[in-house]
């Protein structure tokens, strides 16, 4: 009985330690089998259904293995696309602001004639240099309408540092004039809005050129015109633009739209209230305008000199002479050299 039990245990243990073919023989068999399969696949079409079936079975495994890579690529592309879109959005906002500033001139330019363009050099008026700024703060005092912008005396539009932010510089948004710079710091500036009680600006009615003074009322939605004659030709809906008087604000920019005209036969002046065209409480991106700061006499002198030079070039072209900027008396000296 004991011997039979031992024999039974030996039969169970032997298969566990049974030795099969060596590794070299296995490698040789698999190598030969691989060569046979490659030759059969290259020469015959018998393995094509098997390959197709295996590809269909392994496709989910391929997709599962590629899932982390796809997730990483998708996240990276989404982050990069979002940053690119944000940068492009900021660029488009600045470009739209510049284009809207140019469009503001169209209403005024249609009312100007040839004489006005010759005297005021309208080309310079349309193409003022501007600096884009952003609103970064608002004065908390409810009785003072001031804002803080992110441009100061260190910010310029040219490399020579001759055109930088300065006191009294006009500020406007995409719809019209907002105010002027009243305090300049190295990297920031304070702007006094048109609606402040202490601010006033010369304006004119775009329809007929009637001049007036628009003053702030302390209400961000209202301006008032002072000393407008009761018989003056002004009515509701008229566009008020900057007249350029005082050489502080450039001429032709929208300021306000007449909201109400009250005539009183017993008073010499009418009560005229207007609504600012600029979004004083909503605009975030602003423009600092670098207008022509020359005196009227200097502009007239420069215009006269430019006209003389143009006439001289036309005369030389008619006579067949080459255009030159050097005086005629310099020619003999040049020849003698």
């Amino acid at each position: 009985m004991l011997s039979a039990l031992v024999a039974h245990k030996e039969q169970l243990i032997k298969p566990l330690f049974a030795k099969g073919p060596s590794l070299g023989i296995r490698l040789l068999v698999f190598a030969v089998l691989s060569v046979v399969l490659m030759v059969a696949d290259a020469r015959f079409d018998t393995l094509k259904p098997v390959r197709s079936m295996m590809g269909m079975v392994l496709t989910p495994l391929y997709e599962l293995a590629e899932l982390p890579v796809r997730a990483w690529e998708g996240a990276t592309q989404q982050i990069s696309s979002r940053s690119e879109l944000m940068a492009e959005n900021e660029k488009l906002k600045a470009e739209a602001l510049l284009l809207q500033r140019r469009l503001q001139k169209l209403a005024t330019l249609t009312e100007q004639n040839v004489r006005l363009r010759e005297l005021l050099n309208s080309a310079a008026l349309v193409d003022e240099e501007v600096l884009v700024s952003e609103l970064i703060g608002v004065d908390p005092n409810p009785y003072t309408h001031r804002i803080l912008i992110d441009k100061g005396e260190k910010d310029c539009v040219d490399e020579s540092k001759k055109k930088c932010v300065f006191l009294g510089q006009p500020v406007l948004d995409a719809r019209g004039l907002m105010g002027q710079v009243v305090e300049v710091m190295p990297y920031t500036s304070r702007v006094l809005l048109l609606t402040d009680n202490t601010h006033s600006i010369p304006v004119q009615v775009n329809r007929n050129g009637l001049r007036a003074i628009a003053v702030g009322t302390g209400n961000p939605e209202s301006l008032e015109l002072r000393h407008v004659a009761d018989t003056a030709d002004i009515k509701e809906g008229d566009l008020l633009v900057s007249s350029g008087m005082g050489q502080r604000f450039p001429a032709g920019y929208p300021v306000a739209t007449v909201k109400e005209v009250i005539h009183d036969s017993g008073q010499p002046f009418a009560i005229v209230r207007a609504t600012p065209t600029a979004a004083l409480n909503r605009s975030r991106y602003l423009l600092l305008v670098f207008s022509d700061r020359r005196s009227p006499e200097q502009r007239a002198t420069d215009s006269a000199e430019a006209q003389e030079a143009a006439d001289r070039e036309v005369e030389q072209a008619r006579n067949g002479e080459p255009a030159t900027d050097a005086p005629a008396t310099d020619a003999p000296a040049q020849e003698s050299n």
Side-chain angles (χ1 to χ4, degrees), residues 15-23 25-26:
L16 297 177
F17 298 95
K19 293 184 179 180
S22 63
L23 295 177
I25 295 175
R26 294 179 182 179

Side-chain angles (χ1 to χ4, degrees), residues 226-243:
R226 297 287 176 84
H227 307 123
V228 177
D230 189 66
T231 58
D233 182 14
I234 186 171
K235 58 185 179 180
E236 182 179 345
D238 279 341
L239 176 65
L240 303 177
V241 297
S242 55
S243 65

Side-chain angles (χ1 to χ4, degrees), residues 18 20 28-29 32 36 43 79 95 147 173 176 181 204 223 240-241 254 276 306:
L28 179 61
V29 171
V32 172
V36 171
R43 296 288 184 178
I79 294 174
E95 292 179 356
I147 59 176
D173 68 353
V181 176
Q204 66 181 19
L223 294 174
L240 303 177
V241 297

Side-chain angles (χ1 to χ4, degrees), residues 3 87 102 184 189 219 239 271 273 302:
S3 60
R102 296 179 182 178
V184 181
S189 300
N219 183 352
L239 176 65
I271 300 176
R273 297 186 179 93
D302 294 343

Side-chain angles (χ1 to χ4, degrees), residues 33-242:
L33 182 61
S34 299
V35 172
V36 171
L37 290 176
M38 287 188 292
V39 172
D41 185 52
R43 296 288 184 178
F44 309 100
D45 296 335
T46 55
L47 296 179
K48 184 177 294 185
V50 178
R51 186 171 62 251
S52 176
M53 184 65 67
M54 292 183 64
M56 183 176 64
V57 173
L58 295 177
T59 298
L61 297 178
Y62 293 153
E63 294 181 355
L64 183 63
E66 291 180 357
L67 187 60
V69 177
R70 291 182 180 179
W72 173 257
E73 291 178 352
T76 305
Q77 185 176 4
Q78 185 175 4
I79 294 174
S80 61
S81 299
R82 186 173 183 274
S83 60
E84 291 176 359
L85 287 176
M86 291 178 64
E88 185 179 1
N89 190 22
E90 294 296 328
K91 180 181 178 182
L92 291 176
K93 283 182 179 179
E95 292 179 356
L97 195 61
L98 294 174
L99 293 176
Q100 288 173 344
R101 179 195 69 89
R102 296 179 182 178
L103 288 176
Q104 291 177 21
K105 284 291 186 174
L106 294 180
T108 301
L109 292 177
T110 54
E111 301 293 334
Q112 291 178 344
N113 53 27
V114 177
R115 181 181 61 84
L116 185 60
R117 292 200 301 267
E118 292 177 352
L119 293 177
L120 300 181
N121 193 4
S122 64
L125 293 177
V126 175
D127 298 328
E128 295 103 348
E129 293 182 283
V130 294
L131 181 65
V132 179
S133 64
E134 184 177 359
L135 186 148
I136 58 176
V138 179
D139 196 324
N141 187 352
Y143 302 103
T144 303
H145 294 185
R146 297 190 181 193
I147 59 176
L148 187 68
I149 60 177
D150 65 345
K151 292 294 184 291
E153 61 184 358
K154 300 293 184 181
D155 298 288
C156 308
V157 296
D158 56 352
E159 297 180 356
S160 62
K161 304 296 182 181
K162 292 183 179 180
K163 289 187 177 181
C164 304
V165 180
F166 58 89
L167 285 175
Q169 186 172 15
V171 179
L172 62 151
D173 68 353
R175 301 182 181 180
L177 283 171
M178 291 191 65
Q180 60 178 306
V181 176
V182 293
E183 184 179 356
V184 181
M185 291 165 281
Y187 299 101
T188 57
S189 300
R190 295 190 186 277
V191 177
L192 184 67
L193 300 180
L194 298 177
T195 53
D196 190 88
N197 287 322
T198 62
H199 193 278
S200 61
I201 175 176
V203 297
Q204 66 181 19
V205 179
N206 190 56
R207 177 171 54 86
N208 54 20
L210 177 67
R211 292 188 298 272
I213 301 294
V215 298
T217 61
N219 183 352
E221 300 293 336
S222 178
L223 294 174
E224 186 174 336
L225 270 60
R226 297 287 176 84
H227 307 123
V228 177
D230 189 66
T231 58
D233 182 14
I234 186 171
K235 58 185 179 180
E236 182 179 345
D238 279 341
L239 176 65
L240 303 177
V241 297
S242 55

